[in-house]
Amino acid sequence: MKKWSLINVELFEQKGFKISVLASGSSGNATYIETPKRKMIVDCGLSGKKMVELMASIGRNLADVDTLFVTHEHRDHTHGVGVLARKYKMNVYANEATWQAMDRIVGKIPIEQKHIIEPDELKTFSDIDVQTFKVSHDAANPQFYAFQKDQKQFVILTDTGYVSERLRAQLRGADGYLIESNHDLELLRMGPYPWSLKQRILSDEGHLSNNDGALAVSEMLSDKTKHVFLGHLSKETNMKQIAYDTAFQIMVEKGLAPNQHFALHHTEPYAAQPLIDI
């Protein structure tokens, strides 16, 4: 009788990883990243109860998340960080300046769960690498994250007033992007904000407009790119369809083919996007 040799199980391991934009907007932000060995969240600007609901909506359990990365101390990124860390014993990563700035927001977190990761640092977490990079925003030391596994990469880039040429080159050619599309310029100019706040949003330490976000990501796309998410929309100075139409038009003008060569996605402030493979 013929004996079958053992099959190398590594051949059947998942390549790449899965992501879901759980929430994105001026009211709260969170993104989920999953590999066979790690379950991670970037930012938690929502309540613990809402995070449980969002995770359940994609068929996942918040109790399985082991790591939480923080980009900066603003409340729409940190509101639920302390609650999740304490209740679910998550390890929390942020740079030192951000830890100091968000201390009063997140409350007491056990020292063994607090970890430092600085801008321009590459760190391995079991089967996935995490690259940090600095952005220009009015926070203590804002940084965002690129996740890399099996030559796949997903970039989260919001909350920045501009994207430098150096950063565009560094992040070019990822398989997926969550890019800021914060405001429509005309809606911002005509909107209810005081002039001082409008100046802050429009500054180099503010937020990317629909136009600026679309232009930046258009220069970073490559043949590898399969997904682009438009994120961090302002509920006062933007509309989902305006953000989408603006990005679509700019991409077409740049010779790109949204929804043919890659998918262009909305995001929602209170509803999770389905899990997708990167």
Side-chain angles (χ1 to χ4, degrees), residues 228-244:
V228 176
F229 294 86
L230 304 178
H232 211 285
L233 275 68
S234 167
K235 60 183 178 181
E236 286 84 11
T237 62
N238 210 350
M239 296 176 64
K240 187 168 63 174
Q241 196 60 50
I242 290 176
Y244 187 91

Side-chain angles (χ1 to χ4, degrees), residues 240-260:
K240 187 168 63 174
Q241 196 60 50
I242 290 176
Y244 187 91
D245 290 346
T246 300
F248 192 98
Q249 180 180 347
I250 287 174
M251 290 171 177
V252 170
E253 289 172 355
K254 292 290 184 180
L256 303 170
N259 297 329
Q260 294 182 44

